[in-house]
Amino acid sequence: QVQLVESGGGLVQAGGSLRLSCAPSRSIFNLNAMGWYRQAPGKQRELVAVISRGGSTNYADSVKGRFSISRDNAKNTVSLQMNSLKPEDTAVYYCNGKRQILSTTYDYWGQGTQVTVSS
């Protein structure tokens, strides 16, 4: 089964930057929307940013102006540039890819990468 593999998490001070990357574990047919979700301790998983194959983007209000999502359609990879990080950005970040076949949507997830922002 195809999985997505994240990289780039870590520990950073408030105001710093990190770049997350995500790639499929093996060759996969073209993915439609790709995005990043995060889950902080005791909280539900939430959408951070999403990007369509055409490049349209959508961000959570809490990260607008600080985070930037991009993708490489040929490689089915997606990245998240995170600037001006805040302690409240601390969470496990998950990569997601969706593949639409007729009326069915298939979800692919990564195992998650920890991002910790110290104050």
Side-chain angles (χ1 to χ4, degrees):
Q1 185 175 357
V2 176
Q3 277 193 319
L4 301 177
V5 181
E6 302 102 337
S7 61
L11 173 64
V12 65
Q13 287 189 332
S17 298
L18 282 174
R19 184 176 180 85
L20 304 182
S21 297
C22 171
S25 58
R26 61 175 179 83
S27 179
I28 186 174
F29 289 106
N30 292 335
L31 294 172
N32 299 108
M34 298 190 75
W36 291 91
Y37 291 71
R38 67 186 181 187
Q39 187 167 17
K43 295 187 177 182
Q44 289 189 332
R45 189 174 297 190
E46 62 175 358
L47 175 68
V48 176
V50 64
I51 183 169
S52 69
R53 283 193 62 80
S56 298
T57 59
N58 192 32
Y59 297 91
D61 287 342
S62 59
V63 307
K64 283 180 181 177
R66 300 188 297 121
F67 290 11
S68 179
I69 189 171
S70 59
R71 66 184 289 173
D72 182 329
N73 287 338
K75 298 179 181 179
N76 279 314
T77 59
V78 64
S79 297
L80 185 69
Q81 178 66 40
M82 304 185 293
N83 299 326
S84 302
L85 282 161
K86 303 176 181 180
E88 51 263 43
D89 294 318
T90 295
V92 178
Y93 284 70
Y94 297 90
C95 175
N96 172 261
K98 298 186 186 299
R99 187 179 173 210
Q100 187 79 29
I101 301 176
L102 298 178
S103 61
T104 302
T105 299
Y106 296 89
D107 272 295
Y108 300 91
W109 289 95
Q111 79 288 351
T113 186
Q114 178 69 46
V115 171
T116 303
V117 184
S118 63
S119 57

PDB file of all heavy atoms in Angstrom, residues 91-117:
ATOM      1  N   ALA A  91       2.797  20.717  16.991  1.00  0.00           N
ATOM      2  CA  ALA A  91       1.850  19.636  16.680  1.00  0.00           C
ATOM      3  C   ALA A  91       2.575  18.571  15.873  1.00  0.00           C
ATOM      4  O   ALA A  91       3.715  18.771  15.432  1.00  0.00           O
ATOM      5  CB  ALA A  91       0.669  20.176  15.882  1.00  0.00           C
ATOM      6  N   VAL A  92       1.887  17.461  15.675  1.00  0.00           N
ATOM      7  CA  VAL A  92       2.333  16.479  14.689  1.00  0.00           C
ATOM      8  C   VAL A  92       1.688  16.859  13.366  1.00  0.00           C
ATOM      9  O   VAL A  92       0.470  17.035  13.297  1.00  0.00           O
ATOM     10  CB  VAL A  92       1.941  15.046  15.088  1.00  0.00           C
ATOM     11  CG1 VAL A  92       2.376  14.073  14.002  1.00  0.00           C
ATOM     12  CG2 VAL A  92       2.574  14.673  16.428  1.00  0.00           C
ATOM     13  N   TYR A  93       2.500  17.007  12.338  1.00  0.00           N
ATOM     14  CA  TYR A  93       2.018  17.419  11.026  1.00  0.00           C
ATOM     15  C   TYR A  93       1.932  16.193  10.108  1.00  0.00           C
ATOM     16  O   TYR A  93       2.895  15.414   9.995  1.00  0.00           O
ATOM     17  CB  TYR A  93       2.958  18.471  10.427  1.00  0.00           C
ATOM     18  CG  TYR A  93       2.762  19.823  11.047  1.00  0.00           C
ATOM     19  CD1 TYR A  93       3.145  20.075  12.360  1.00  0.00           C
ATOM     20  CD2 TYR A  93       2.172  20.867  10.330  1.00  0.00           C
ATOM     21  CE1 TYR A  93       2.950  21.314  12.947  1.00  0.00           C
ATOM     22  CE2 TYR A  93       1.978  22.113  10.902  1.00  0.00           C
ATOM     23  CZ  TYR A  93       2.361  22.329  12.211  1.00  0.00           C
ATOM     24  OH  TYR A  93       2.164  23.565  12.788  1.00  0.00           O
ATOM     25  N   TYR A  94       0.797  16.069   9.442  1.00  0.00           N
ATOM     26  CA  TYR A  94       0.535  14.923   8.572  1.00  0.00           C
ATOM     27  C   TYR A  94       0.335  15.397   7.129  1.00  0.00           C
ATOM     28  O   TYR A  94      -0.394  16.356   6.875  1.00  0.00           O
ATOM     29  CB  TYR A  94      -0.725  14.179   9.012  1.00  0.00           C
ATOM     30  CG  TYR A  94      -0.641  13.569  10.388  1.00  0.00           C
ATOM     31  CD1 TYR A  94      -1.037  14.284  11.505  1.00  0.00           C
ATOM     32  CD2 TYR A  94      -0.175  12.273  10.566  1.00  0.00           C
ATOM     33  CE1 TYR A  94      -0.970  13.728  12.775  1.00  0.00           C
ATOM     34  CE2 TYR A  94      -0.100  11.697  11.828  1.00  0.00           C
ATOM     35  CZ  TYR A  94      -0.500  12.436  12.926  1.00  0.00           C
ATOM     36  OH  TYR A  94      -0.426  11.872  14.173  1.00  0.00           O
ATOM     37  N   CYS A  95       0.938  14.670   6.239  1.00  0.00           N
ATOM     38  CA  CYS A  95       0.749  14.918   4.812  1.00  0.00           C
ATOM     39  C   CYS A  95      -0.441  14.097   4.325  1.00  0.00           C
ATOM     40  O   CYS A  95      -0.645  12.960   4.764  1.00  0.00           O
ATOM     41  CB  CYS A  95       2.020  14.509   4.070  1.00  0.00           C
ATOM     42  SG  CYS A  95       1.918  14.613   2.287  1.00  0.00           S
ATOM     43  N   ASN A  96      -1.206  14.667   3.429  1.00  0.00           N
ATOM     44  CA  ASN A  96      -2.369  13.980   2.869  1.00  0.00           C
ATOM     45  C   ASN A  96      -2.411  14.145   1.361  1.00  0.00           C
ATOM     46  O   ASN A  96      -2.110  15.224   0.838  1.00  0.00           O
ATOM     47  CB  ASN A  96      -3.654  14.534   3.486  1.00  0.00           C
ATOM     48  CG  ASN A  96      -4.904  13.999   2.817  1.00  0.00           C
ATOM     49  OD1 ASN A  96      -5.493  14.657   1.963  1.00  0.00           O
ATOM     50  ND2 ASN A  96      -5.308  12.803   3.196  1.00  0.00           N
ATOM     51  N   GLY A  97      -2.792  13.078   0.675  1.00  0.00           N
ATOM     52  CA  GLY A  97      -2.995  13.158  -0.764  1.00  0.00           C
ATOM     53  C   GLY A  97      -4.307  12.468  -1.105  1.00  0.00           C
ATOM     54  O   GLY A  97      -4.656  11.461  -0.492  1.00  0.00           O
ATOM     55  N   LYS A  98      -5.021  13.027  -2.047  1.00  0.00           N
ATOM     56  CA  LYS A  98      -6.310  12.465  -2.432  1.00  0.00           C
ATOM     57  C   LYS A  98      -6.273  12.084  -3.911  1.00  0.00           C
ATOM     58  O   LYS A  98      -5.735  12.814  -4.736  1.00  0.00           O
ATOM     59  CB  LYS A  98      -7.426  13.475  -2.184  1.00  0.00           C
ATOM     60  CG  LYS A  98      -7.592  13.863  -0.723  1.00  0.00           C
ATOM     61  CD  LYS A  98      -8.784  14.749  -0.526  1.00  0.00           C
ATOM     62  CE  LYS A  98      -8.860  15.241   0.912  1.00  0.00           C
ATOM     63  NZ  LYS A  98      -8.993  14.139   1.880  1.00  0.00           N
ATOM     64  N   ARG A  99      -6.868  10.949  -4.205  1.00  0.00           N
ATOM     65  CA  ARG A  99      -6.984  10.501  -5.584  1.00  0.00           C
ATOM     66  C   ARG A  99      -8.452  10.215  -5.859  1.00  0.00           C
ATOM     67  O   ARG A  99      -9.088   9.472  -5.136  1.00  0.00           O
ATOM     68  CB  ARG A  99      -6.147   9.247  -5.830  1.00  0.00           C
ATOM     69  CG  ARG A  99      -6.121   8.848  -7.294  1.00  0.00           C
ATOM     70  CD  ARG A  99      -5.267   7.626  -7.518  1.00  0.00           C
ATOM     71  NE  ARG A  99      -5.382   7.161  -8.888  1.00  0.00           N
ATOM     72  CZ  ARG A  99      -5.249   5.885  -9.252  1.00  0.00           C
ATOM     73  NH1 ARG A  99      -4.970   4.961  -8.351  1.00  0.00           N
ATOM     74  NH2 ARG A  99      -5.359   5.555 -10.515  1.00  0.00           N
ATOM     75  N   GLN A 100      -8.963  10.867  -6.895  1.00  0.00           N
ATOM     76  CA  GLN A 100     -10.374  10.743  -7.237  1.00  0.00           C
ATOM     77  C   GLN A 100     -10.516   9.772  -8.396  1.00  0.00           C
ATOM     78  O   GLN A 100      -9.932   9.980  -9.468  1.00  0.00           O
ATOM     79  CB  GLN A 100     -10.928  12.110  -7.637  1.00  0.00           C
ATOM     80  CG  GLN A 100     -12.424  12.149  -7.865  1.00  0.00           C
ATOM     81  CD  GLN A 100     -13.205  12.205  -6.568  1.00  0.00           C
ATOM     82  OE1 GLN A 100     -12.711  12.737  -5.574  1.00  0.00           O
ATOM     83  NE2 GLN A 100     -14.398  11.670  -6.554  1.00  0.00           N
ATOM     84  N   ILE A 101     -11.272   8.709  -8.203  1.00  0.00           N
ATOM     85  CA  ILE A 101     -11.591   7.769  -9.270  1.00  0.00           C
ATOM     86  C   ILE A 101     -13.106   7.678  -9.353  1.00  0.00           C
ATOM     87  O   ILE A 101     -13.750   7.143  -8.440  1.00  0.00           O
ATOM     88  CB  ILE A 101     -10.987   6.376  -9.022  1.00  0.00           C
ATOM     89  CG1 ILE A 101      -9.469   6.481  -8.894  1.00  0.00           C
ATOM     90  CG2 ILE A 101     -11.348   5.430 -10.164  1.00  0.00           C
ATOM     91  CD1 ILE A 101      -8.798   5.174  -8.557  1.00  0.00           C
ATOM     92  N   LEU A 102     -13.642   8.232 -10.424  1.00  0.00           N
ATOM     93  CA  LEU A 102     -15.099   8.337 -10.595  1.00  0.00           C
ATOM     94  C   LEU A 102     -15.670   9.024  -9.365  1.00  0.00           C
ATOM     95  O   LEU A 102     -15.304  10.151  -9.058  1.00  0.00           O
ATOM     96  CB  LEU A 102     -15.699   6.953 -10.833  1.00  0.00           C
ATOM     97  CG  LEU A 102     -15.213   6.231 -12.088  1.00  0.00           C
ATOM     98  CD1 LEU A 102     -15.822   4.851 -12.205  1.00  0.00           C
ATOM     99  CD2 LEU A 102     -15.519   7.061 -13.328  1.00  0.00           C
ATOM    100  N   SER A 103     -16.549   8.393  -8.632  1.00  0.00           N
ATOM    101  CA  SER A 103     -17.191   9.045  -7.491  1.00  0.00           C
ATOM    102  C   SER A 103     -16.530   8.705  -6.160  1.00  0.00           C
ATOM    103  O   SER A 103     -17.022   9.091  -5.102  1.00  0.00           O
ATOM    104  CB  SER A 103     -18.671   8.648  -7.433  1.00  0.00           C
ATOM    105  OG  SER A 103     -18.798   7.256  -7.280  1.00  0.00           O
ATOM    106  N   THR A 104     -15.417   8.006  -6.207  1.00  0.00           N
ATOM    107  CA  THR A 104     -14.742   7.583  -4.979  1.00  0.00           C
ATOM    108  C   THR A 104     -13.458   8.358  -4.770  1.00  0.00           C
ATOM    109  O   THR A 104     -12.663   8.514  -5.698  1.00  0.00           O
ATOM    110  CB  THR A 104     -14.430   6.079  -5.033  1.00  0.00           C
ATOM    111  OG1 THR A 104     -15.641   5.349  -5.228  1.00  0.00           O
ATOM    112  CG2 THR A 104     -13.779   5.622  -3.728  1.00  0.00           C
ATOM    113  N   THR A 105     -13.269   8.829  -3.532  1.00  0.00           N
ATOM    114  CA  THR A 105     -12.039   9.533  -3.170  1.00  0.00           C
ATOM    115  C   THR A 105     -11.194   8.630  -2.288  1.00  0.00           C
ATOM    116  O   THR A 105     -11.677   8.116  -1.281  1.00  0.00           O
ATOM    117  CB  THR A 105     -12.352  10.835  -2.425  1.00  0.00           C
ATOM    118  OG1 THR A 105     -13.111  11.689  -3.278  1.00  0.00           O
ATOM    119  CG2 THR A 105     -11.059  11.538  -2.046  1.00  0.00           C
ATOM    120  N   TYR A 106      -9.943   8.452  -2.670  1.00  0.00           N
ATOM    121  CA  TYR A 106      -9.006   7.648  -1.889  1.00  0.00           C
ATOM    122  C   TYR A 106      -8.051   8.586  -1.174  1.00  0.00           C
ATOM    123  O   TYR A 106      -7.491   9.493  -1.789  1.00  0.00           O
ATOM    124  CB  TYR A 106      -8.228   6.691  -2.799  1.00  0.00           C
ATOM    125  CG  TYR A 106      -9.114   5.666  -3.464  1.00  0.00           C
ATOM    126  CD1 TYR A 106      -9.720   5.938  -4.689  1.00  0.00           C
ATOM    127  CD2 TYR A 106      -9.352   4.438  -2.869  1.00  0.00           C
ATOM    128  CE1 TYR A 106     -10.540   5.007  -5.301  1.00  0.00           C
ATOM    129  CE2 TYR A 106     -10.179   3.500  -3.475  1.00  0.00           C
ATOM    130  CZ  TYR A 106     -10.774   3.795  -4.685  1.00  0.00           C
ATOM    131  OH  TYR A 106     -11.593   2.873  -5.283  1.00  0.00           O
ATOM    132  N   ASP A 107      -7.870   8.349   0.127  1.00  0.00           N
ATOM    133  CA  ASP A 107      -6.983   9.171   0.944  1.00  0.00           C
ATOM    134  C   ASP A 107      -5.683   8.436   1.228  1.00  0.00           C
ATOM    135  O   ASP A 107      -5.693   7.263   1.602  1.00  0.00           O
ATOM    136  CB  ASP A 107      -7.642   9.529   2.283  1.00  0.00           C
ATOM    137  CG  ASP A 107      -8.459  10.791   2.194  1.00  0.00           C
ATOM    138  OD1 ASP A 107      -7.863  11.862   1.966  1.00  0.00           O
ATOM    139  OD2 ASP A 107      -9.677  10.697   2.344  1.00  0.00           O
ATOM    140  N   TYR A 108      -4.581   9.143   1.100  1.00  0.00           N
ATOM    141  CA  TYR A 108      -3.266   8.627   1.468  1.00  0.00           C
ATOM    142  C   TYR A 108      -2.699   9.530   2.556  1.00  0.00           C
ATOM    143  O   TYR A 108      -2.785  10.751   2.457  1.00  0.00           O
ATOM    144  CB  TYR A 108      -2.334   8.594   0.257  1.00  0.00           C
ATOM    145  CG  TYR A 108      -2.839   7.736  -0.873  1.00  0.00           C
ATOM    146  CD1 TYR A 108      -3.625   8.273  -1.892  1.00  0.00           C
ATOM    147  CD2 TYR A 108      -2.545   6.371  -0.933  1.00  0.00           C
ATOM    148  CE1 TYR A 108      -4.097   7.489  -2.922  1.00  0.00           C
ATOM    149  CE2 TYR A 108      -3.017   5.584  -1.970  1.00  0.00           C
ATOM    150  CZ  TYR A 108      -3.793   6.151  -2.953  1.00  0.00           C
ATOM    151  OH  TYR A 108      -4.268   5.370  -3.978  1.00  0.00           O
ATOM    152  N   TRP A 109      -2.111   8.915   3.568  1.00  0.00           N
ATOM    153  CA  TRP A 109      -1.592   9.678   4.708  1.00  0.00           C
ATOM    154  C   TRP A 109      -0.138   9.310   4.984  1.00  0.00           C
ATOM    155  O   TRP A 109       0.306   8.194   4.719  1.00  0.00           O
ATOM    156  CB  TRP A 109      -2.406   9.380   5.960  1.00  0.00           C
ATOM    157  CG  TRP A 109      -3.782   9.947   5.946  1.00  0.00           C
ATOM    158  CD1 TRP A 109      -4.925   9.320   5.567  1.00  0.00           C
ATOM    159  CD2 TRP A 109      -4.174  11.274   6.327  1.00  0.00           C
ATOM    160  NE1 TRP A 109      -5.994  10.175   5.683  1.00  0.00           N
ATOM    161  CE2 TRP A 109      -5.561  11.370   6.160  1.00  0.00           C
ATOM    162  CE3 TRP A 109      -3.477  12.386   6.793  1.00  0.00           C
ATOM    163  CZ2 TRP A 109      -6.280  12.540   6.439  1.00  0.00           C
ATOM    164  CZ3 TRP A 109      -4.185  13.548   7.075  1.00  0.00           C
ATOM    165  CH2 TRP A 109      -5.573  13.612   6.900  1.00  0.00           C
ATOM    166  N   GLY A 110       0.551  10.252   5.560  1.00  0.00           N
ATOM    167  CA  GLY A 110       1.881   9.997   6.075  1.00  0.00           C
ATOM    168  C   GLY A 110       1.791   9.596   7.539  1.00  0.00           C
ATOM    169  O   GLY A 110       0.722   9.631   8.151  1.00  0.00           O
ATOM    170  N   GLN A 111       2.926   9.233   8.102  1.00  0.00           N
ATOM    171  CA  GLN A 111       2.972   8.783   9.497  1.00  0.00           C
ATOM    172  C   GLN A 111       3.058   9.949  10.466  1.00  0.00           C
ATOM    173  O   GLN A 111       2.895   9.763  11.679  1.00  0.00           O
ATOM    174  CB  GLN A 111       4.162   7.843   9.710  1.00  0.00           C
ATOM    175  CG  GLN A 111       5.522   8.528   9.870  1.00  0.00           C
ATOM    176  CD  GLN A 111       6.067   9.121   8.580  1.00  0.00           C
ATOM    177  OE1 GLN A 111       5.526   8.898   7.489  1.00  0.00           O
ATOM    178  NE2 GLN A 111       7.159   9.865   8.688  1.00  0.00           N
ATOM    179  N   GLY A 112       3.310  11.125   9.953  1.00  0.00           N
ATOM    180  CA  GLY A 112       3.380  12.316  10.796  1.00  0.00           C
ATOM    181  C   GLY A 112       4.807  12.692  11.149  1.00  0.00           C
ATOM    182  O   GLY A 112       5.674  11.827  11.296  1.00  0.00           O
ATOM    183  N   THR A 113       5.039  13.975  11.286  1.00  0.00           N
ATOM    184  CA  THR A 113       6.344  14.480  11.711  1.00  0.00           C
ATOM    185  C   THR A 113       6.115  15.548  12.779  1.00  0.00           C
ATOM    186  O   THR A 113       5.237  16.400  12.646  1.00  0.00           O
ATOM    187  CB  THR A 113       7.147  15.036  10.520  1.00  0.00           C
ATOM    188  OG1 THR A 113       8.465  15.400  10.955  1.00  0.00           O
ATOM    189  CG2 THR A 113       6.492  16.249   9.880  1.00  0.00           C
ATOM    190  N   GLN A 114       6.898  15.466  13.836  1.00  0.00           N
ATOM    191  CA  GLN A 114       6.713  16.364  14.981  1.00  0.00           C
ATOM    192  C   GLN A 114       7.352  17.724  14.700  1.00  0.00           C
ATOM    193  O   GLN A 114       8.522  17.806  14.292  1.00  0.00           O
ATOM    194  CB  GLN A 114       7.334  15.764  16.233  1.00  0.00           C
ATOM    195  CG  GLN A 114       7.243  16.645  17.472  1.00  0.00           C
ATOM    196  CD  GLN A 114       5.827  16.783  17.997  1.00  0.00           C
ATOM    197  OE1 GLN A 114       5.098  15.790  18.124  1.00  0.00           O
ATOM    198  NE2 GLN A 114       5.424  18.008  18.310  1.00  0.00           N
ATOM    199  N   VAL A 115       6.582  18.765  14.961  1.00  0.00           N
ATOM    200  CA  VAL A 115       7.091  20.133  14.925  1.00  0.00           C
ATOM    201  C   VAL A 115       6.894  20.718  16.318  1.00  0.00           C
ATOM    202  O   VAL A 115       5.783  20.744  16.834  1.00  0.00           O
ATOM    203  CB  VAL A 115       6.360  20.988  13.878  1.00  0.00           C
ATOM    204  CG1 VAL A 115       6.757  22.454  14.018  1.00  0.00           C
ATOM    205  CG2 VAL A 115       6.669  20.480  12.473  1.00  0.00           C
ATOM    206  N   THR A 116       7.983  21.157  16.921  1.00  0.00           N
ATOM    207  CA  THR A 116       7.929  21.745  18.250  1.00  0.00           C
ATOM    208  C   THR A 116       8.528  23.140  18.207  1.00  0.00           C
ATOM    209  O   THR A 116       9.667  23.318  17.760  1.00  0.00           O
ATOM    210  CB  THR A 116       8.696  20.895  19.274  1.00  0.00           C
ATOM    211  OG1 THR A 116       8.151  19.567  19.288  1.00  0.00           O
ATOM    212  CG2 THR A 116       8.575  21.502  20.668  1.00  0.00           C
ATOM    213  N   VAL A 117       7.745  24.124  18.641  1.00  0.00           N
ATOM    214  CA  VAL A 117       8.192  25.518  18.642  1.00  0.00           C
ATOM    215  C   VAL A 117       8.321  25.971  20.087  1.00  0.00           C
ATOM    216  O   VAL A 117       7.333  25.988  20.827  1.00  0.00           O
ATOM    217  CB  VAL A 117       7.213  26.418  17.880  1.00  0.00           C
ATOM    218  CG1 VAL A 117       7.757  27.846  17.812  1.00  0.00           C
ATOM    219  CG2 VAL A 117       6.967  25.883  16.470  1.00  0.00           C
TER     220      VAL A 117
END
